[in-house]
């Protein structure tokens, strides 16, 4: 059995070593395709792969057509919006993710970005502190929960909105569960996004919602760029010189944001949330173990397609 690790943005070497150990320990062969620059390279590499480990790499119908021997794709990470689930099902391919494995890394980056923003991007002027500020956590999944845990250390007041998470789960963490996204944005000085990119959430962070935020508001995005209505965010930031947007997922209109909103807009050049040795080890090795469990025992825990 051939297991391909196809990562345009590679894992730390220590994580690759761990994946190799799991795969070879099970008697399988590991093949690496890192830092590829062209889809053609991916199409070539998947030809004889029985299993693939990916990150944000795109697995669409064309890739699945080329991967004639493929049985399973594991997205080493949380969001699987980069995999065409219907096409995978049609090709008889199982798709899994590794929920929770990189969530602390993403949560820590939220605070890296926030301190940078409230200290005016370290430009020498007086900024503000996070202590006592109201933080809105938009979706209370694995990352949202870690954000809440870290925020408590900063002495922030915590609010969350998640229609899929029971209120008592949120409130037992000392976080106020609010009834709507509108209420969250109206209440909080800072909102941190942790929603997946789905048909329902795409473009959902719009002018209407953001206009509710109090003066001096900050929106921090470590989720997906697709959930933002970029045109409306630009309009809002033009109207509201007090509004800051900081993101780990470069918007399509990055150049425009950078030009119009210098000093209150920042994007990492490449998504860095899960880019730690620990997260790479956790997610990469979990992915390798899930592949071994699937190929050897038919275990389908964490399957996300039908
Ligand atoms: C995820 O969904 O797990 C994160 O967005 C991390 O993505 P990455 O593996 O591409 O860094």
């Amino acid at each position: 059995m051939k297991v391909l690790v196809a990562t345009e943005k590679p894992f730390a070497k220590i994580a690759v070593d761990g994946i190799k150990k799991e795969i070879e320990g099970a008697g399988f062969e590991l093949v690496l395709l890192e830092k590829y620059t062209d889809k053609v390279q991916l199409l070539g590499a998947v030809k004889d792969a029985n299993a693939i480990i990916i990150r944000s790499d795109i697995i669409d119908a064309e890739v699945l057509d080329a991967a004639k021997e493929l049985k399973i794709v594991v997205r080493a990470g949380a969001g699987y919006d980069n995999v065409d689930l219907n096409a995978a099902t049609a090709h008889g391919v199982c798709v899994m993710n590794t929920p929770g494995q990189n969530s602390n890394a993403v949560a820590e980056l939220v605070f890296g970005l926030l301190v940078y923003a409230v200290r005016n991007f370290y430009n020498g002027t007086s900024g503000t502190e996070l202590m006592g500020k109201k933080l809105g956590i938009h979706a209370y999944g694995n990352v949202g929960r870690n954000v809440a845990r870290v925020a408590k250390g900063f002495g922030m007041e915590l609010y969350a909105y998640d229609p899929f998470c029971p209120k008592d789960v949120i409130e037992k963490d000392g976080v106020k569960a609010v009834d709507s996204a509108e209420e969250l944005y109206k209440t909080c000085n800072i909102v941190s996004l942790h929603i997946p990119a789905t048909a329902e959430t795409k473009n959902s962070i719009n002018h209407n919602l953001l206009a509710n935020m109090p003066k001096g508001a900050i929106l921090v995005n470590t989720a997906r760029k697709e959930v933002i209505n970029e045109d409306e965010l630009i309009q809002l930031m033009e109207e509201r010189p007090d509004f800051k947007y900081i993101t780990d997922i470069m918007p399509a209109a990055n150049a425009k944001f950078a030009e119009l909103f210098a000093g209150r807009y920042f994007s990492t050049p490449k998504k860095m949330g899960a880019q730690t040795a620990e997260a790479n080890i956790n997610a990469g090795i979990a992915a390798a173990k899930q592949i071994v469990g699937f190929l050897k025992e038919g275990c389908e825990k964490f399957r996300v397609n039908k």
Side-chain angles (χ1 to χ4, degrees):
M1 288 280 173
K2 208 171 245 189
V3 180
L4 171 71
V5 173
T7 47
E8 179 273 321
K9 182 176 65 186
F11 292 120
K13 185 178 176 307
I14 188 171
V16 177
D17 292 344
I19 294 168
K20 197 170 157 66
K21 206 169 150 212
E22 289 295 332
I23 298 301
E24 292 183 350
F28 303 152
E29 184 190 344
L30 187 84
V31 182
L32 267 183
L33 174 70
E34 293 182 318
K35 292 188 190 170
Y36 58 91
T37 49
D38 199 308
K39 190 177 181 183
V40 173
Q41 293 168 274
L42 180 62
L43 291 172
V46 299
K47 269 199 177 95
D48 56 352
N50 303 106
I52 312 179
I53 296 175
I54 52 158
R55 297 186 63 178
S56 290
D57 308 80
I58 310 284
I59 302 295
D60 59 14
E62 194 188 359
V63 176
L64 291 160
D65 280 342
K68 299 274 183 256
E69 309 299 325
L70 190 62
K71 294 179 177 8
I72 177 169
V73 175
V74 182
R75 193 286 189 234
Y80 43 87
D81 47 305
N82 48 320
V83 181
D84 185 334
L85 296 187
N86 292 332
T89 302
H91 283 78
V93 171
C94 172
V95 182
M96 295 184 187
N97 66 347
T98 66
Q101 300 291 350
N102 59 19
S103 45
N104 179 64
V106 179
E108 287 190 12
L109 186 72
V110 168
F111 294 90
L113 291 168
L114 278 179
V115 172
Y116 186 51
V118 295
R119 297 302 181 99
N120 299 331
F121 301 167
Y122 306 145
N123 71 357
T125 64
S126 271
T128 58
E129 298 179 21
L130 294 176
M131 185 182 273
K133 302 299 181 302
K134 293 182 168 124
L135 174 67
I137 303 171
H138 193 164
Y140 207 67
N142 288 311
V143 182
R145 287 163 213 216
N146 275 286
V147 167
R149 176 179 54 77
V150 180
K152 283 181 204 158
F154 278 96
M156 302 186 81
E157 214 179 292
L158 299 179
Y159 297 81
Y161 173 64
D162 190 332
F164 303 103
C165 181
K167 275 190 166 184
D168 59 316
V169 170
I170 297 175
E171 302 219 320
K172 81 164 178 22
D173 286 352
V175 178
K176 171 103 183 70
V178 300
D179 290 319
S180 66
E182 285 71 20
E183 190 184 342
L184 188 78
Y185 285 72
K186 206 175 180 159
T187 309
C188 296
N189 310 100
I190 299 167
V191 172
S192 186
L193 290 171
H194 303 294
I195 52 177
T198 64
E200 291 74 38
T201 64
K202 280 182 185 164
N203 287 314
S204 66
I205 308 304
N206 57 22
H207 187 278
N208 262 350
L209 203 54
L210 297 169
N212 288 317
M213 290 186 77
K215 197 164 166 18
I218 302 175
L219 178 68
V220 54
N221 185 4
T222 54
R224 289 291 180 272
K225 71 169 189 278
E226 291 82 1
V227 301
I228 303 279
N229 183 322
E230 290 188 14
D231 289 344
E232 295 193 17
L233 176 56
I234 288 171
Q235 185 199 333
L236 177 100
M237 288 180 74
E238 281 178 322
E239 292 161 9
R240 294 256 318 248
D242 62 297
F243 196 103
K244 285 183 183 155
Y245 180 51
I246 46 178
T247 180
D248 185 36
I249 313 95
M250 188 175 278
N254 173 59
K256 199 163 178 187
F257 275 96
E259 184 196 324
L260 291 174
F261 310 123
R264 57 195 179 95
Y265 164 73
F266 173 77
S267 173
T268 53
K270 205 169 182 80
K271 188 162 58 138
M272 290 297 294
Q275 207 53 328
T276 65
E278 293 88 339
N280 291 172
I281 291 167
N282 293 343
I285 293 179
K289 286 193 162 135
Q290 287 171 220
I291 284 173
V292 173
F294 177 81
L295 292 177
K296 291 217 155 168
E297 285 145 35
C299 176
E300 297 204 350
K301 196 173 171 194
F302 304 121
R303 182 172 186 142
V304 293
N305 66 331
K306 296 210 173 83

